[in-house]
Amino acid sequence: MAQVPPAGSVLVADWHQCRESRDYFNKILHKKRRKNFGLLESPVMPPHVAVDTVNYKIFISGKSGVGKTTLAARIAGLNIPNMHHETTGIETTVVYWPAKLRESGRVVFFRLQLWDCGENALRRFDHLLPSCREQLDAVLLLFSFTDRTSFDDLPNQITKWTGSPEGHVVKVVVGTKFDLFMHCDVTERDVKEFQETWRLPVLHTGGEVTDGLGDIAPLLNCLAENLWYQDCLTAGASHCLQQEEAATVL
């Protein structure tokens, strides 16, 4: 299982609440609501503010009806669908999230391209899953707190995304419909035991989307932190390999 950094060890936790972050978050907000960015659009900072942008492809995985499309809308600040309907193909959504690196103090814009594909469409059309897997950086593994079978299916989902080359993708588990506590089929004890076994971060979503950032900040910070950490591990491994090759030549 891939290593998971302690929360807040890579990125400054709750930086979106700090005064110094306002200029950056104002670029992804309009009248206190999230801006919708197209595939070719990006936040525009003043010329004197240099901010690097890192790009990542994220696939949302889970059973039909678990809330994949709703989660994508929630993360992007879009209107949440009132009724469930099966996603007929691949839908992509672009999300920008500024974050501050703890060690260097540098600010980075994370550009997250969310890929959502209906379960039935994946089964019917063989070319969809390879397209989703291509150059994938992370996968959000979803279960619903109101659907026990979706929680029990998580080990199968994890195994599915552990084989090469997908074994190097970041994996984050997200429980949806957490607000429907009266109908919960998954307990806090179940989640705790799962975390102890699989060593993966588990977050939850549910309820109304607010005009602020508090409801999605924990998820986006966790995802960005794990993506950056994975890149650092990969860069370190490459550097070690180059040193070994140089030593062998000598």
Side-chain angles (χ1 to χ4, degrees), residues 99-134:
K100 186 175 183 179
L101 304 179
R102 178 170 295 279
E103 184 174 346
S104 65
R106 182 171 138 218
V107 178
V108 176
F109 265 113
F110 286 80
R111 181 186 184 273
L112 309 175
Q113 189 178 66
L114 306 176
W115 284 52
D116 172 25
C117 187
E119 186 179 27
N120 291 327
L122 287 174
R123 292 174 178 171
R124 290 180 57 192
F125 304 107
D126 295 337
H127 67 282
L128 292 183
L129 185 57
S131 297
C132 294
R133 287 181 179 269
E134 186 179 7

mmCIF file of all heavy atoms in Angstrom, residues 99-134:
data_model
loop_
_atom_site.group_PDB
_atom_site.id
_atom_site.type_symbol
_atom_site.label_atom_id
_atom_site.label_comp_id
_atom_site.label_asym_id
_atom_site.label_seq_id
_atom_site.Cartn_x
_atom_site.Cartn_y
_atom_site.Cartn_z
ATOM 1 N N ALA A 99 -3.047 26.176 -2.818
ATOM 2 C CA ALA A 99 -2.566 25.624 -1.550
ATOM 3 C C ALA A 99 -1.147 26.099 -1.307
ATOM 4 O O ALA A 99 -0.394 26.391 -2.247
ATOM 5 C CB ALA A 99 -2.628 24.096 -1.566
ATOM 6 N N LYS A 100 -0.752 26.169 -0.038
ATOM 7 C CA LYS A 100 0.578 26.635 0.346
ATOM 8 C C LYS A 100 1.400 25.468 0.866
ATOM 9 O O LYS A 100 0.972 24.745 1.777
ATOM 10 C CB LYS A 100 0.478 27.725 1.419
ATOM 11 C CG LYS A 100 1.812 28.371 1.773
ATOM 12 C CD LYS A 100 1.616 29.530 2.745
ATOM 13 C CE LYS A 100 2.940 30.227 3.043
ATOM 14 N NZ LYS A 100 2.760 31.365 3.968
ATOM 15 N N LEU A 101 2.591 25.275 0.286
ATOM 16 C CA LEU A 101 3.485 24.208 0.718
ATOM 17 C C LEU A 101 4.096 24.568 2.064
ATOM 18 O O LEU A 101 4.595 25.684 2.252
ATOM 19 C CB LEU A 101 4.580 23.970 -0.315
ATOM 20 C CG LEU A 101 4.108 23.651 -1.742
ATOM 21 C CD1 LEU A 101 5.303 23.454 -2.670
ATOM 22 C CD2 LEU A 101 3.214 22.422 -1.755
ATOM 23 N N ARG A 102 4.062 23.642 2.985
ATOM 24 C CA ARG A 102 4.518 23.924 4.342
ATOM 25 C C ARG A 102 6.027 24.185 4.385
ATOM 26 O O ARG A 102 6.491 25.105 5.068
ATOM 27 C CB ARG A 102 4.156 22.768 5.273
ATOM 28 C CG ARG A 102 4.628 22.961 6.705
ATOM 29 C CD ARG A 102 4.053 21.926 7.638
ATOM 30 N NE ARG A 102 2.609 22.040 7.755
ATOM 31 C CZ ARG A 102 2.016 22.931 8.543
ATOM 32 N NH1 ARG A 102 2.742 23.785 9.267
ATOM 33 N NH2 ARG A 102 0.704 22.988 8.627
ATOM 34 N N GLU A 103 6.803 23.388 3.686
ATOM 35 C CA GLU A 103 8.260 23.479 3.812
ATOM 36 C C GLU A 103 8.827 24.729 3.173
ATOM 37 O O GLU A 103 9.648 25.432 3.763
ATOM 38 C CB GLU A 103 8.919 22.235 3.201
ATOM 39 C CG GLU A 103 10.428 22.195 3.380
ATOM 40 C CD GLU A 103 11.028 20.900 2.894
ATOM 41 O OE1 GLU A 103 10.287 19.933 2.655
ATOM 42 O OE2 GLU A 103 12.265 20.836 2.744
ATOM 43 N N SER A 104 8.389 25.044 1.949
ATOM 44 C CA SER A 104 8.966 26.168 1.209
ATOM 45 C C SER A 104 8.157 27.454 1.324
ATOM 46 O O SER A 104 8.667 28.538 1.028
ATOM 47 C CB SER A 104 9.096 25.797 -0.274
ATOM 48 O OG SER A 104 7.814 25.602 -0.854
ATOM 49 N N GLY A 105 6.892 27.349 1.735
ATOM 50 C CA GLY A 105 6.036 28.526 1.784
ATOM 51 C C GLY A 105 5.527 28.961 0.419
ATOM 52 O O GLY A 105 4.916 30.013 0.279
ATOM 53 N N ARG A 106 5.775 28.147 -0.593
ATOM 54 C CA ARG A 106 5.361 28.464 -1.957
ATOM 55 C C ARG A 106 3.878 28.144 -2.144
ATOM 56 O O ARG A 106 3.367 27.167 -1.602
ATOM 57 C CB ARG A 106 6.214 27.616 -2.903
ATOM 58 C CG ARG A 106 5.983 27.809 -4.367
ATOM 59 C CD ARG A 106 7.068 27.041 -5.129
ATOM 60 N NE ARG A 106 6.514 26.348 -6.270
ATOM 61 C CZ ARG A 106 6.883 25.146 -6.670
ATOM 62 N NH1 ARG A 106 7.821 24.497 -6.013
ATOM 63 N NH2 ARG A 106 6.349 24.595 -7.736
ATOM 64 N N VAL A 107 3.192 28.963 -2.944
ATOM 65 C CA VAL A 107 1.785 28.747 -3.258
ATOM 66 C C VAL A 107 1.672 28.089 -4.626
ATOM 67 O O VAL A 107 2.336 28.509 -5.583
ATOM 68 C CB VAL A 107 0.995 30.064 -3.229
ATOM 69 C CG1 VAL A 107 -0.465 29.825 -3.619
ATOM 70 C CG2 VAL A 107 1.061 30.692 -1.838
ATOM 71 N N VAL A 108 0.847 27.065 -4.713
ATOM 72 C CA VAL A 108 0.666 26.315 -5.955
ATOM 73 C C VAL A 108 -0.827 26.209 -6.255
ATOM 74 O O VAL A 108 -1.637 25.983 -5.349
ATOM 75 C CB VAL A 108 1.283 24.898 -5.840
ATOM 76 C CG1 VAL A 108 1.014 24.093 -7.106
ATOM 77 C CG2 VAL A 108 2.771 24.977 -5.560
ATOM 78 N N PHE A 109 -1.193 26.378 -7.517
ATOM 79 C CA PHE A 109 -2.558 26.109 -7.955
ATOM 80 C C PHE A 109 -2.635 24.657 -8.405
ATOM 81 O O PHE A 109 -1.924 24.236 -9.306
ATOM 82 C CB PHE A 109 -2.957 27.026 -9.119
ATOM 83 C CG PHE A 109 -3.692 28.265 -8.701
ATOM 84 C CD1 PHE A 109 -3.122 29.513 -8.855
ATOM 85 C CD2 PHE A 109 -4.969 28.176 -8.156
ATOM 86 C CE1 PHE A 109 -3.805 30.664 -8.470
ATOM 87 C CE2 PHE A 109 -5.650 29.325 -7.761
ATOM 88 C CZ PHE A 109 -5.070 30.562 -7.918
ATOM 89 N N PHE A 110 -3.497 23.898 -7.755
ATOM 90 C CA PHE A 110 -3.750 22.529 -8.185
ATOM 91 C C PHE A 110 -4.910 22.550 -9.182
ATOM 92 O O PHE A 110 -6.020 22.974 -8.831
ATOM 93 C CB PHE A 110 -4.100 21.643 -6.989
ATOM 94 C CG PHE A 110 -2.919 21.308 -6.120
ATOM 95 C CD1 PHE A 110 -2.450 22.209 -5.179
ATOM 96 C CD2 PHE A 110 -2.268 20.095 -6.264
ATOM 97 C CE1 PHE A 110 -1.354 21.906 -4.380
ATOM 98 C CE2 PHE A 110 -1.171 19.778 -5.481
ATOM 99 C CZ PHE A 110 -0.709 20.682 -4.533
ATOM 100 N N ARG A 111 -4.637 22.096 -10.394
ATOM 101 C CA ARG A 111 -5.693 21.978 -11.415
ATOM 102 C C ARG A 111 -6.123 20.515 -11.461
ATOM 103 O O ARG A 111 -5.369 19.638 -11.902
ATOM 104 C CB ARG A 111 -5.189 22.424 -12.786
ATOM 105 C CG ARG A 111 -6.259 22.354 -13.887
ATOM 106 C CD ARG A 111 -5.649 22.678 -15.241
ATOM 107 N NE ARG A 111 -6.654 22.715 -16.296
ATOM 108 C CZ ARG A 111 -7.062 21.640 -16.993
ATOM 109 N NH1 ARG A 111 -6.565 20.433 -16.688
ATOM 110 N NH2 ARG A 111 -7.963 21.760 -17.948
ATOM 111 N N LEU A 112 -7.320 20.255 -10.987
ATOM 112 C CA LEU A 112 -7.829 18.896 -10.880
ATOM 113 C C LEU A 112 -8.899 18.679 -11.948
ATOM 114 O O LEU A 112 -9.927 19.378 -11.950
ATOM 115 C CB LEU A 112 -8.416 18.653 -9.493
ATOM 116 C CG LEU A 112 -7.516 19.033 -8.306
ATOM 117 C CD1 LEU A 112 -8.269 18.852 -6.996
ATOM 118 C CD2 LEU A 112 -6.236 18.209 -8.313
ATOM 119 N N GLN A 113 -8.654 17.740 -12.845
ATOM 120 C CA GLN A 113 -9.654 17.404 -13.858
ATOM 121 C C GLN A 113 -10.371 16.135 -13.403
ATOM 122 O O GLN A 113 -9.789 15.044 -13.382
ATOM 123 C CB GLN A 113 -9.022 17.202 -15.226
ATOM 124 C CG GLN A 113 -10.046 17.064 -16.341
ATOM 125 C CD GLN A 113 -9.411 16.914 -17.711
ATOM 126 O OE1 GLN A 113 -8.753 15.922 -17.977
ATOM 127 N NE2 GLN A 113 -9.602 17.903 -18.572
ATOM 128 N N LEU A 114 -11.624 16.282 -13.002
ATOM 129 C CA LEU A 114 -12.411 15.171 -12.484
ATOM 130 C C LEU A 114 -13.072 14.418 -13.631
ATOM 131 O O LEU A 114 -13.718 15.029 -14.494
ATOM 132 C CB LEU A 114 -13.478 15.687 -11.526
ATOM 133 C CG LEU A 114 -12.995 16.575 -10.365
ATOM 134 C CD1 LEU A 114 -14.185 17.091 -9.565
ATOM 135 C CD2 LEU A 114 -12.032 15.825 -9.462
ATOM 136 N N TRP A 115 -12.922 13.096 -13.636
ATOM 137 C CA TRP A 115 -13.545 12.242 -14.650
ATOM 138 C C TRP A 115 -14.623 11.402 -13.986
ATOM 139 O O TRP A 115 -14.355 10.679 -13.033
ATOM 140 C CB TRP A 115 -12.494 11.339 -15.304
ATOM 141 C CG TRP A 115 -11.617 12.058 -16.293
ATOM 142 C CD1 TRP A 115 -10.911 13.199 -16.086
ATOM 143 C CD2 TRP A 115 -11.362 11.668 -17.652
ATOM 144 N NE1 TRP A 115 -10.220 13.557 -17.218
ATOM 145 C CE2 TRP A 115 -10.481 12.633 -18.198
ATOM 146 C CE3 TRP A 115 -11.775 10.609 -18.447
ATOM 147 C CZ2 TRP A 115 -10.012 12.559 -19.510
ATOM 148 C CZ3 TRP A 115 -11.319 10.526 -19.759
ATOM 149 C CH2 TRP A 115 -10.447 11.499 -20.284
ATOM 150 N N ASP A 116 -15.837 11.503 -14.496
ATOM 151 C CA ASP A 116 -16.987 10.766 -13.974
ATOM 152 C C ASP A 116 -17.590 9.957 -15.112
ATOM 153 O O ASP A 116 -17.907 10.506 -16.174
ATOM 154 C CB ASP A 116 -18.007 11.760 -13.406
ATOM 155 C CG ASP A 116 -19.323 11.094 -13.020
ATOM 156 O OD1 ASP A 116 -19.315 9.880 -12.735
ATOM 157 O OD2 ASP A 116 -20.358 11.796 -13.019
ATOM 158 N N CYS A 117 -17.729 8.647 -14.898
ATOM 159 C CA CYS A 117 -18.288 7.787 -15.948
ATOM 160 C C CYS A 117 -19.281 6.828 -15.313
ATOM 161 O O CYS A 117 -19.012 6.231 -14.261
ATOM 162 C CB CYS A 117 -17.177 7.007 -16.648
ATOM 163 S SG CYS A 117 -17.734 6.076 -18.095
ATOM 164 N N GLY A 118 -20.427 6.666 -15.929
ATOM 165 C CA GLY A 118 -21.456 5.777 -15.405
ATOM 166 C C GLY A 118 -21.021 4.322 -15.407
ATOM 167 O O GLY A 118 -20.310 3.868 -16.309
ATOM 168 N N GLU A 119 -21.452 3.585 -14.391
ATOM 169 C CA GLU A 119 -21.059 2.185 -14.248
ATOM 170 C C GLU A 119 -21.555 1.350 -15.424
ATOM 171 O O GLU A 119 -20.825 0.504 -15.961
ATOM 172 C CB GLU A 119 -21.611 1.626 -12.936
ATOM 173 C CG GLU A 119 -21.136 0.215 -12.615
ATOM 174 C CD GLU A 119 -21.689 -0.295 -11.298
ATOM 175 O OE1 GLU A 119 -22.779 0.165 -10.903
ATOM 176 O OE2 GLU A 119 -21.042 -1.142 -10.670
ATOM 177 N N ASN A 120 -22.790 1.569 -15.856
ATOM 178 C CA ASN A 120 -23.325 0.804 -16.978
ATOM 179 C C ASN A 120 -22.604 1.132 -18.277
ATOM 180 O O ASN A 120 -22.386 0.252 -19.120
ATOM 181 C CB ASN A 120 -24.828 1.063 -17.131
ATOM 182 C CG ASN A 120 -25.634 0.475 -15.988
ATOM 183 O OD1 ASN A 120 -25.264 -0.560 -15.441
ATOM 184 N ND2 ASN A 120 -26.726 1.130 -15.621
ATOM 185 N N ALA A 121 -22.223 2.400 -18.443
ATOM 186 C CA ALA A 121 -21.481 2.792 -19.644
ATOM 187 C C ALA A 121 -20.119 2.116 -19.686
ATOM 188 O O ALA A 121 -19.659 1.685 -20.749
ATOM 189 C CB ALA A 121 -21.327 4.314 -19.685
ATOM 190 N N LEU A 122 -19.459 2.003 -18.537
ATOM 191 C CA LEU A 122 -18.165 1.319 -18.483
ATOM 192 C C LEU A 122 -18.289 -0.146 -18.880
ATOM 193 O O LEU A 122 -17.389 -0.709 -19.517
ATOM 194 C CB LEU A 122 -17.578 1.423 -17.070
ATOM 195 C CG LEU A 122 -17.032 2.783 -16.640
ATOM 196 C CD1 LEU A 122 -16.633 2.754 -15.175
ATOM 197 C CD2 LEU A 122 -15.830 3.178 -17.502
ATOM 198 N N ARG A 123 -19.405 -0.757 -18.507
ATOM 199 C CA ARG A 123 -19.611 -2.169 -18.849
ATOM 200 C C ARG A 123 -19.939 -2.356 -20.328
ATOM 201 O O ARG A 123 -19.533 -3.344 -20.949
ATOM 202 C CB ARG A 123 -20.733 -2.749 -17.988
ATOM 203 C CG ARG A 123 -20.387 -2.863 -16.504
ATOM 204 C CD ARG A 123 -21.605 -3.301 -15.704
ATOM 205 N NE ARG A 123 -21.287 -3.457 -14.288
ATOM 206 C CZ ARG A 123 -22.187 -3.669 -13.339
ATOM 207 N NH1 ARG A 123 -23.471 -3.775 -13.675
ATOM 208 N NH2 ARG A 123 -21.817 -3.791 -12.080
ATOM 209 N N ARG A 124 -20.666 -1.412 -20.888
ATOM 210 C CA ARG A 124 -21.134 -1.562 -22.277
ATOM 211 C C ARG A 124 -20.064 -1.220 -23.296
ATOM 212 O O ARG A 124 -19.988 -1.844 -24.358
ATOM 213 C CB ARG A 124 -22.358 -0.673 -22.507
ATOM 214 C CG ARG A 124 -23.615 -1.137 -21.799
ATOM 215 C CD ARG A 124 -24.762 -0.187 -22.097
ATOM 216 N NE ARG A 124 -25.010 -0.065 -23.542
ATOM 217 C CZ ARG A 124 -25.788 0.861 -24.084
ATOM 218 N NH1 ARG A 124 -26.385 1.769 -23.295
ATOM 219 N NH2 ARG A 124 -25.983 0.904 -25.383
ATOM 220 N N PHE A 125 -19.235 -0.229 -22.987
ATOM 221 C CA PHE A 125 -18.278 0.263 -23.981
ATOM 222 C C PHE A 125 -16.856 0.018 -23.486
ATOM 223 O O PHE A 125 -16.406 0.631 -22.513
ATOM 224 C CB PHE A 125 -18.505 1.756 -24.245
ATOM 225 C CG PHE A 125 -19.915 2.075 -24.689
ATOM 226 C CD1 PHE A 125 -20.791 2.708 -23.821
ATOM 227 C CD2 PHE A 125 -20.358 1.723 -25.945
ATOM 228 C CE1 PHE A 125 -22.092 2.996 -24.211
ATOM 229 C CE2 PHE A 125 -21.660 2.010 -26.355
ATOM 230 C CZ PHE A 125 -22.537 2.641 -25.479
ATOM 231 N N ASP A 126 -16.144 -0.873 -24.178
ATOM 232 C CA ASP A 126 -14.820 -1.302 -23.725
ATOM 233 C C ASP A 126 -13.777 -0.194 -23.760
ATOM 234 O O ASP A 126 -12.776 -0.272 -23.047
ATOM 235 C CB ASP A 126 -14.326 -2.476 -24.583
ATOM 236 C CG ASP A 126 -15.181 -3.721 -24.418
ATOM 237 O OD1 ASP A 126 -15.849 -3.827 -23.372
ATOM 238 O OD2 ASP A 126 -15.188 -4.568 -25.335
ATOM 239 N N HIS A 127 -13.986 0.831 -24.594
ATOM 240 C CA HIS A 127 -12.954 1.857 -24.756
ATOM 241 C C HIS A 127 -12.992 2.920 -23.655
ATOM 242 O O HIS A 127 -12.042 3.699 -23.527
ATOM 243 C CB HIS A 127 -13.114 2.554 -26.117
ATOM 244 C CG HIS A 127 -14.379 3.360 -26.225
ATOM 245 N ND1 HIS A 127 -15.616 2.786 -26.459
ATOM 246 C CD2 HIS A 127 -14.607 4.704 -26.125
ATOM 247 C CE1 HIS A 127 -16.540 3.733 -26.501
ATOM 248 N NE2 HIS A 127 -15.951 4.904 -26.308
ATOM 249 N N LEU A 128 -14.054 2.962 -22.855
ATOM 250 C CA LEU A 128 -14.179 4.030 -21.866
ATOM 251 C C LEU A 128 -13.200 3.873 -20.708
ATOM 252 O O LEU A 128 -12.547 4.835 -20.301
ATOM 253 C CB LEU A 128 -15.616 4.093 -21.330
ATOM 254 C CG LEU A 128 -16.688 4.536 -22.326
ATOM 255 C CD1 LEU A 128 -18.047 4.630 -21.641
ATOM 256 C CD2 LEU A 128 -16.332 5.878 -22.969
ATOM 257 N N LEU A 129 -13.096 2.670 -20.150
ATOM 258 C CA LEU A 129 -12.214 2.474 -18.996
ATOM 259 C C LEU A 129 -10.748 2.741 -19.333
ATOM 260 O O LEU A 129 -10.064 3.417 -18.555
ATOM 261 C CB LEU A 129 -12.383 1.065 -18.425
ATOM 262 C CG LEU A 129 -11.600 0.777 -17.137
ATOM 263 C CD1 LEU A 129 -11.971 1.770 -16.046
ATOM 264 C CD2 LEU A 129 -11.853 -0.651 -16.658
ATOM 265 N N PRO A 130 -10.228 2.239 -20.483
ATOM 266 C CA PRO A 130 -8.838 2.597 -20.834
ATOM 267 C C PRO A 130 -8.623 4.106 -20.954
ATOM 268 O O PRO A 130 -7.558 4.612 -20.577
ATOM 269 C CB PRO A 130 -8.628 1.904 -22.186
ATOM 270 C CG PRO A 130 -9.570 0.740 -22.157
ATOM 271 C CD PRO A 130 -10.776 1.238 -21.419
ATOM 272 N N SER A 131 -9.641 4.837 -21.440
ATOM 273 C CA SER A 131 -9.511 6.297 -21.538
ATOM 274 C C SER A 131 -9.445 6.925 -20.148
ATOM 275 O O SER A 131 -8.690 7.872 -19.921
ATOM 276 C CB SER A 131 -10.704 6.888 -22.310
ATOM 277 O OG SER A 131 -10.728 6.406 -23.640
ATOM 278 N N CYS A 132 -10.223 6.374 -19.218
ATOM 279 C CA CYS A 132 -10.210 6.897 -17.849
ATOM 280 C C CYS A 132 -8.887 6.574 -17.154
ATOM 281 O O CYS A 132 -8.390 7.365 -16.343
ATOM 282 C CB CYS A 132 -11.373 6.314 -17.053
ATOM 283 S SG CYS A 132 -13.015 6.819 -17.639
ATOM 284 N N ARG A 133 -8.319 5.425 -17.441
ATOM 285 C CA ARG A 133 -7.074 5.010 -16.800
ATOM 286 C C ARG A 133 -5.847 5.743 -17.346
ATOM 287 O O ARG A 133 -4.845 5.883 -16.648
ATOM 288 C CB ARG A 133 -6.854 3.506 -17.006
ATOM 289 C CG ARG A 133 -7.766 2.608 -16.195
ATOM 290 C CD ARG A 133 -7.427 1.146 -16.466
ATOM 291 N NE ARG A 133 -8.254 0.224 -15.711
ATOM 292 C CZ ARG A 133 -7.951 -0.249 -14.512
ATOM 293 N NH1 ARG A 133 -6.831 0.126 -13.925
ATOM 294 N NH2 ARG A 133 -8.754 -1.094 -13.898
ATOM 295 N N GLU A 134 -5.921 6.207 -18.573
ATOM 296 C CA GLU A 134 -4.751 6.800 -19.232
ATOM 297 C C GLU A 134 -4.259 8.044 -18.490
ATOM 298 O O GLU A 134 -5.023 8.968 -18.240
ATOM 299 C CB GLU A 134 -5.103 7.178 -20.673
ATOM 300 C CG GLU A 134 -3.924 7.679 -21.492
ATOM 301 C CD GLU A 134 -4.305 8.006 -22.911
ATOM 302 O OE1 GLU A 134 -5.512 7.965 -23.241
ATOM 303 O OE2 GLU A 134 -3.393 8.302 -23.711
#
